[in-house]
């Protein structure tokens, strides 16, 4: 239950300038309280009214954990003096503060704010110092205004800090002019929150920038859902629903965005609305892919069949004609796609190509869209693979439209004659565009992936559009080599891909189905499988080997509920395991967690097997690890990632993490696990399609257990029509080829 305490700040025990976390002492009459929480720029002498709850620290005793803090500048002369002497004004110490308050009394703050040159009336304060004092005071008061404004609209101090960092002293003015700027990615508020603030400030519901902001928000939401463009009628219809504005005014706002070049509509496709950066990315990809396809020179190997025969002898393997054709086509073309399901020999072809390139002095680089995918192909191929972000060298700055910048580009291309990208189905249009910008003319690009898996999380459907265009050479591998005799996982993956129901194991085997029609029973079964049944029967360790994959986030068999149930059994509370509750979730030492958004500036440390310590920047969406420490005193949570990187998160950054005992199928792309458990019960119709099920089971190397409704499984197998994605790359490739 929330309580309130109030008093005068007597001292600041600790403060973190980056996130505003503060430990302070306040006095209420004769009583003294210790307050802890996010209270940025709090100073001695301020009067505070704090809302929160009492807690007990094991070492420091009772503390009041603050959720909201209302502040007032001091009015008593003694407190004004203490406030000025607290250190927020550089060079203004206790003796100078005393002189200022004695000279100006109750007018002290007005003088500092509006007429700082009057400070020269005090002996020893020169004009330049007086102006510096005034500027520092004004900036501090502006920040206080932002904090007060944020609290007025129910925003946490974390958002106040972000707002201040973005706008500085003009923050309050900028927000008053256009609160929808708080939707920018470096602040991250949603449209409805910004809209509430705007309407609360008295902004006209039909103001043009409100309607433009709604359109822009919906286009961003469309991109988050995987589309590169949004149909015009759909966009305008949804914007009207969101704002309640008349059709004519919404059309005017739309035309305004067009005139500002904030959005793009082509003459030949007036029904398609793009953001400028997605339009440019899609158009660039089409132009560059066709150019690369046409710019290749001669094959580096004259007698390729003879070379392949020698390779087979050296490695004691036999390549089938389709695999040999894939190698030859990749050598003879500037851009090639090699696609196939699990066990069809894609990794073998990657190994062959790398060896050919290395033997003939061709500099080749191997990459994948995510860290997990890069790690997996490194382990299976024996060659180092980098993430695309690492390959392109993230510049750790944000460019226009909040897009990440890379050091490798057209002015500074990669030193490579050939690029092989594995798991190419995961690449989105923006990252593909960035990769193509970093390739020199004549560089071979070989895209390897499974076109039947889920498309990228980001906008576009790059691999399938390239394949369906017919403009880029494609080799489809369809013969199963790996595990076809002893494993039903790969057999069933191909059966599902052909629209056939899987064959389930009974006693011995690696592919099981456990029917459950009741949600509670299904969850109970999933938990017992992970906690005891699979570890006892198959010898798998949950934290290392078993992954629960679910189609959805919400519901009884969604990510949120399953993670809570699995945490309760696999990592229950313990006096030796510190924990922190944030956003209704408990983060405990020993928990399996996942980073859920790219953070290009996150610092990490890494200790290799030889004991050498290195550091770097960048933690990416989908990286998984285990919570190694929760430091309540310094409000720091430490995660040790699977690749041994160690990262620290302030408690205000915990919205970047979520539990990973269970993850969505989409988040599992590019990964492999010894065993997967897949609950299929009450799956929303929008997620009942074949390639989602196919992607889930192909994440497993040794064991698949499906728990749920046989009817849901049947409908997923039969439904080959996944949710439509709006993308124009296929048509652009076809059109571009006509002019090549």
């Amino acid at each position: 239950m929330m309580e309130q305490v109030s008093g005068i700040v007597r001292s600041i025990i600790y403060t973190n300038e980056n996130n505003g976390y503060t430990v302070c002492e306040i006095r209420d009459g004769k009583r003294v309280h210790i307050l802890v929480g996010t209270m940025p720029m709090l100073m001695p002498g301020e009067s505070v009214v704090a809302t929160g709850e009492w807690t007990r620290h094991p070492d420091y005793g009772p503390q009041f954990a603050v959720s909201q803090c209302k502040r007032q500048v001091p009015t008593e002369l003694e407190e004004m003096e203490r406030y000025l002497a607290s250190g927020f004004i550089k060079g203004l110490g206790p003796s100078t503060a005393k002189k200022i308050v004695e000279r100006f009394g109750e007018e002290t703050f007005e003088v500092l704010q509006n007429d700082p040159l009057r400070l020269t009336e005090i002996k020893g304060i020169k004009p330049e110092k007086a102006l510096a004092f005034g500027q520092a005071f004004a900036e501090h008061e502006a920040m206080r205004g932002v904090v007060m404004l944020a609290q007025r609209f129910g925003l946490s101090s974390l958002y106040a800090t972000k707002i201040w960092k973005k706008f500085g002293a003009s923050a309050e003015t900028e927000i008053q002019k256009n609160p929808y700027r708080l939707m920018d990615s470096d602040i991250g508020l949603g449209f409805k929150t910004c809209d509430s603030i705007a309407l609360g400030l008295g902004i006209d519901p039909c103001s043009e920038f409100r309607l433009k902001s709604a359109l822009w928000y919906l286009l961003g939401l469309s991109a988050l859902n995987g589309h590169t463009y949004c149909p015009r009628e759909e966009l305008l219809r949804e914007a009207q629903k969101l704002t309640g504005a008349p059709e004519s005014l919404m059309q005017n706002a739309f035309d305004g965005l067009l005139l500002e070049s904030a959005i793009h509509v082509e003459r030949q496709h007036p029904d398609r609305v793009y953001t400028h950066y997605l339009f440019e990315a899609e158009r660039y990809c089409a132009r560059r892919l066709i150019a690369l396809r046409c710019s290749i020179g001669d094959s580096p190997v004259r007698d390729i069949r003879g070379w392949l025969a020698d390779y087979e002898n050296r490695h004691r393997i036999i390549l089938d004609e389709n695999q040999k054709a894939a190698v030859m086509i990749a050598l003879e073309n500037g851009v090639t796609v090699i696609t196939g399901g699990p066990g069809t020999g894609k990794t073998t072809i990657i190994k062959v190509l790398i060896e050919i390139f290395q033997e003939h002095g061709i500099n080749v680089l191997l990459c994948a869209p995510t860290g997990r995918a890069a790690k997996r192909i490194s382990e299976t191929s024996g060659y180092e693979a980098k993430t695309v972000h690492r390959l392109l060298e993230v510049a750790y700055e944000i460019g226009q439209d909040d897009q990440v910048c890379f050091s490798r580009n057209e002015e500074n291309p990669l030193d490579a004659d050939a690029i092989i990208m594995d798991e190419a189905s995961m690449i989105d249009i923006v990252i593909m565009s960035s990769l193509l910008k970093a390739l020199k003319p004549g560089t071979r690009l070989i895209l390897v992936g499974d076109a039947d898996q889920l498309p990228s999380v980001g906008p576009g459907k790059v691999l399938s559009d390239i394949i369906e265009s017919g403009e880029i050479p494609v080799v489809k591998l369809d013969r199963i080599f790996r595990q076809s005799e002893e494993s039903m996982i790969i057999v069933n993956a191909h059966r599902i891909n052909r629209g056939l129901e899987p064959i389930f194991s009974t006693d011995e085997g690696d592919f099981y189905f456990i029917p459950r029609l009741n949600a509670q029973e299904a969850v109970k079964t999933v938990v017992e499988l992970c906690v005891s049944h699979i570890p006892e029967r198959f010898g798998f360790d949950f934290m290392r080997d078993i992954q629960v994959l679910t189609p959805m986030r919400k519901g009884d068999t969604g990510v949120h509920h399953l993670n809570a149930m699995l945490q309760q059994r696999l990592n229950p509370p313990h006096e030796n395991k510190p924990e922190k509750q944030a956003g209704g979730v408990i983060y405990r030492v020993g928990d399996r967690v996942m980073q859920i958004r790219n953070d290009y500036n996150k610092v990490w440390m890494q200790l290799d097997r030889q004991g050498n310590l290195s550091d770097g920047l960048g933690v990416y969406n989908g990286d998984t690890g285990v919570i190694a420490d929760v430091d309540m005193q310094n409000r720091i949570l430490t995660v040790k990632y699977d690749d041994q990187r160690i990262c620290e998160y302030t408690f205000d950054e915990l919205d970047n993490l979520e539990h990973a005992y269970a993850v969505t199928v989409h988040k599992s792309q590019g990964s492999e696990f010894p065993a997967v458990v897949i609950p299929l019960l009450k799956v929303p119709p929008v997620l009942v399609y074949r390639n989602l099920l196919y992607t889930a089971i192909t994440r497993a190397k040794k064991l698949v257990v499906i728990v749920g409704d046989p009817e849901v499984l049947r409908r997923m197998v039969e439904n080959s029509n996944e949710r439509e994605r709006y993308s124009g790359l296929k048509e652009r490739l076809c059109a571009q080829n006509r002019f090549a």
Side-chain angles (χ1 to χ4, degrees):
M1 182 176 177
M2 289 294 180
E3 299 181 64
Q4 279 192 345
V5 298
S6 60
I8 304 296
V9 179
R10 304 297 293 177
S11 64
I12 304 297
I13 300 170
Y14 169 81
T15 188
N16 184 318
E17 293 182 2
N18 292 324
N19 58 32
Y21 175 75
T22 301
V23 180
C24 70
E25 179 187 82
I26 71 168
R27 182 176 294 278
D28 176 14
K30 294 182 178 181
R31 294 178 298 177
V32 174
H33 306 304
I34 300 297
L35 272 55
V36 298
T38 303
M39 299 173 281
M41 303 184 74
L42 192 67
M43 295 295 166
E46 289 188 274
S47 174
V48 299
V49 178
T51 302
E53 57 186 356
W54 285 102
T55 62
R56 176 169 287 276
H57 191 279
D59 297 324
Y60 301 102
Q63 298 179 338
F64 191 77
V66 176
S67 59
Q68 191 175 42
C69 181
K70 295 181 180 179
R71 302 146 66 172
Q72 293 180 333
V73 293
T75 55
E76 298 293 330
L77 297 184
E78 180 184 348
E79 302 304 339
M80 292 172 73
E81 182 182 322
R82 185 188 298 273
Y83 182 65
L84 289 180
S86 60
F88 73 90
I89 299 178
K90 186 177 180 181
L92 201 162
S95 62
T96 304
K98 184 176 181 65
K99 292 176 184 177
I100 292 173
V101 174
E102 285 179 348
R103 176 69 181 83
F104 299 107
E106 294 178 356
E107 295 182 352
T108 295
F109 291 165
E110 184 180 344
V111 168
L112 280 162
Q113 182 84 40
N114 301 314
D115 195 6
L117 281 175
R118 285 193 62 193
L119 297 177
T120 58
E121 296 173 16
I122 298 170
K123 186 178 180 180
I125 299 181
K126 295 182 179 179
E128 57 269 21
K129 183 174 285 189
L131 290 173
F133 286 169
Q135 183 178 355
F137 182 84
E139 288 182 355
H140 186 77
E141 293 308 297
M143 176 58 190
R144 281 173 45 81
V146 172
V147 172
M148 301 287 282
L149 187 67
Q151 290 178 344
R152 178 175 146 202
F153 291 108
L155 304 180
S156 71
S157 297
L158 171 62
Y159 283 113
T161 303
K162 289 181 177 181
I163 292 166
W164 174 257
K165 286 182 178 178
K166 182 177 182 69
F167 297 114
S170 62
E172 192 166 357
T173 303
E174 293 296 328
I175 293 169
Q176 296 278 357
K177 284 196 303 185
N178 185 357
Y180 299 99
R181 292 192 65 187
L182 301 180
M183 291 192 300
D184 294 351
S185 63
D186 49 358
I187 297 174
L189 289 177
F191 177 82
K192 290 183 179 179
T193 302
C194 294
D195 205 37
S196 175
I197 294 172
L199 297 176
L201 290 171
I203 288 174
D204 183 353
C206 291
S207 66
E208 187 171 330
F209 70 73
R210 176 178 185 251
L211 305 188
K212 286 180 179 178
S213 298
L215 289 165
W216 189 252
Y217 163 76
L218 289 169
L219 275 177
L221 195 61
S222 175
L224 285 175
N225 288 326
H227 308 295
T228 59
Y229 68 84
C230 184
R232 183 175 185 150
E233 286 188 13
E234 180 181 320
L235 176 64
L236 290 171
R237 183 176 64 251
E238 291 301 314
Q240 281 183 258
K241 285 169 58 179
L242 186 63
T243 62
E247 181 180 354
S248 58
L249 292 181
M250 190 56 68
Q251 184 63 57
N252 290 341
F254 180 88
D255 293 341
L257 288 175
L258 273 177
L259 288 172
E260 296 165 9
S261 298
I263 59 176
H264 193 93
V265 175
E266 294 177 281
R267 289 182 181 177
Q268 57 269 44
H269 296 293
D271 58 324
R272 299 179 180 180
V273 184
Y274 287 86
T275 59
H276 185 71
Y277 81 92
L278 285 179
F279 171 74
E280 290 298 335
E282 196 175 87
R283 188 170 66 166
Y284 184 86
C285 283
R287 185 171 69 245
R288 196 80 170 90
L289 283 167
I290 296 299
L292 283 172
R293 186 201 65 181
C294 301
S295 66
I296 196 67
D298 295 332
S299 169
V301 187
R302 296 187 179 277
D303 181 15
I304 183 60
R305 287 200 169 272
W307 192 96
L308 288 172
D310 290 340
Y311 182 91
E312 289 175 318
N313 289 331
R314 288 197 306 273
H315 295 275
R316 297 182 180 180
I317 63 170
I318 298 176
L319 304 172
D320 74 351
E321 288 303 311
N322 210 18
Q323 287 179 304
K324 292 177 182 177
V327 174
M328 288 188 283
I329 289 171
L331 293 175
E332 293 167 356
N333 290 276
V335 183
T336 307
V337 174
I338 300 171
T339 182
T344 55
K346 298 189 296 295
T347 303
T348 298
I349 291 175
I350 289 174
K351 290 179 181 179
V352 172
L353 287 169
I354 291 175
E355 191 164 319
I356 288 176
F357 290 140
Q358 289 182 337
E359 279 195 14
H360 292 82
I362 294 175
N363 186 17
V364 58
L365 296 174
L366 179 60
C367 67
T370 68
R372 290 172 297 157
K375 180 181 178 183
R376 188 184 62 78
I377 191 59
S378 294
E379 293 170 348
T380 55
S381 71
Y383 297 95
E384 182 192 9
K386 295 181 178 180
T387 64
V388 178
H389 287 83
R390 185 178 165 205
L391 185 74
L392 298 179
E393 299 173 14
V394 176
Y396 305 109
E397 61 184 47
I398 299 298
Q400 289 185 331
D401 301 304
D402 297 328
Q403 294 304 299
V404 68
C405 298
F406 296 99
S407 297
R408 294 292 185 172
N409 49 40
E410 291 163 310
E411 287 74 38
N412 182 31
L414 291 165
D415 183 19
D417 304 305
I419 302 287
I420 301 174
M421 178 190 286
D422 193 31
E423 295 287 358
S425 64
M426 300 175 66
I427 196 77
D428 66 48
I429 195 72
V430 177
I431 299 301
M432 186 66 176
S433 172
S434 298
L435 175 65
L436 292 171
K437 287 176 182 177
L439 302 189
K440 298 180 295 186
T443 301
R444 286 179 173 82
L445 177 62
I446 301 156
L447 303 174
V448 183
D450 188 344
D452 295 314
Q453 287 191 29
L454 291 170
S456 60
V457 174
K461 45 178 183 171
V462 173
L463 186 64
S464 61
D465 274 353
I466 291 173
I467 293 171
E468 291 171 14
S469 73
E471 303 299 337
I472 301 296
V474 177
V475 180
K476 184 171 178 59
L477 306 175
D478 50 19
R479 179 181 172 188
I480 304 173
F481 292 93
R482 177 167 56 92
Q483 296 182 342
S484 57
E485 294 181 3
E486 66 270 21
S487 172
M488 290 305 297
I489 295 175
I490 291 184
V491 171
N492 281 330
H494 289 272
R495 284 181 63 85
I496 290 169
N497 214 13
R498 297 196 301 271
L500 302 174
E501 291 195 32
I503 300 169
F504 299 111
S505 306
T506 51
D507 294 325
E508 298 297 324
D510 58 10
F511 203 103
Y512 296 87
F513 183 84
I514 301 175
R516 292 288 185 270
L517 300 180
N518 177 275
Q520 290 183 338
E521 288 298 316
V523 171
K524 181 180 178 182
T525 300
V526 168
V527 172
E528 292 303 325
L529 283 166
C530 296
V531 172
S532 57
H533 297 340
I534 292 176
E536 289 171 7
R537 179 168 177 181
F538 297 94
F540 292 131
D541 173 74
F542 178 82
M543 297 298 286
R544 187 177 62 245
D545 303 321
I546 306 171
Q547 182 64 59
V548 178
L549 302 179
T550 177
M552 55 222 189
R553 299 187 64 80
K554 298 180 180 179
D556 290 328
T557 56
V559 164
H560 299 310
H561 187 241
L562 284 170
N563 271 321
M565 296 298 101
L566 288 163
Q567 181 197 39
Q568 185 177 320
R569 290 292 303 279
L570 290 158
N571 191 32
H574 191 278
E575 61 181 6
N576 293 327
K577 288 186 175 181
E579 61 184 49
K580 166 63 181 174
Q581 183 169 346
V585 177
I586 295 174
Y587 296 92
R588 182 177 297 133
V589 168
D591 277 341
R592 181 193 279 183
V593 292
M594 173 186 287
Q595 172 84 10
I596 59 171
R597 57 179 61 91
N598 291 335
D599 185 343
Y600 304 104
N601 294 307
K602 172 59 72 176
V603 177
W604 50 260
M605 306 290 290
Q606 189 175 45
L607 195 65
D608 63 22
R609 293 178 180 177
Q610 288 72 43
N612 300 314
L613 188 67
S614 60
D615 59 13
L617 294 175
V619 183
Y620 302 109
N621 186 359
D623 287 352
T624 56
V626 173
I627 296 177
D629 185 44
V630 177
D631 183 344
M632 297 300 293
Q633 178 63 25
N634 294 309
R635 293 175 60 86
I636 297 292
L637 182 147
T638 304
V639 176
K640 184 175 183 180
Y641 282 100
D642 294 342
D643 59 5
Q644 306 306 305
R645 286 175 303 157
I646 296 173
C647 290
E648 291 186 344
Y649 294 79
T650 67
F651 285 177
D652 290 325
E653 295 175 316
L654 295 185
D655 59 348
N656 290 315
L657 296 173
E658 66 179 28
H659 286 127
Y661 298 103
V663 301
T664 62
V665 178
H666 286 82
K667 288 285 190 182
S668 73
Q669 288 177 265
S671 297
E672 279 190 340
F673 311 97
V676 300
V677 178
I678 308 168
L680 294 179
L681 190 71
K682 297 182 179 179
V683 179
V686 72
L687 295 174
V688 178
Y689 49 89
R690 184 184 300 165
N691 68 350
L692 189 144
L693 176 62
Y694 173 80
T695 300
I697 68 171
T698 54
R699 301 308 90 209
K701 293 190 287 186
K702 298 180 180 179
L703 178 68
V704 169
V705 183
I706 301 174
V707 178
D709 187 346
E711 178 61 19
V712 173
L713 176 68
R714 183 189 64 77
R715 285 190 284 117
M716 292 184 83
V717 171
E718 291 178 354
N719 183 19
S720 60
N721 299 317
E722 65 177 282
R723 184 169 51 182
E724 182 184 7
R725 252 185 200 213
Y726 301 126
S727 167
L729 180 60
K730 173 184 171 181
E731 293 165 280
R732 292 187 194 283
L733 285 166
C734 296
Q736 189 69 36
N737 186 51
R738 291 196 293 270
F739 301 103

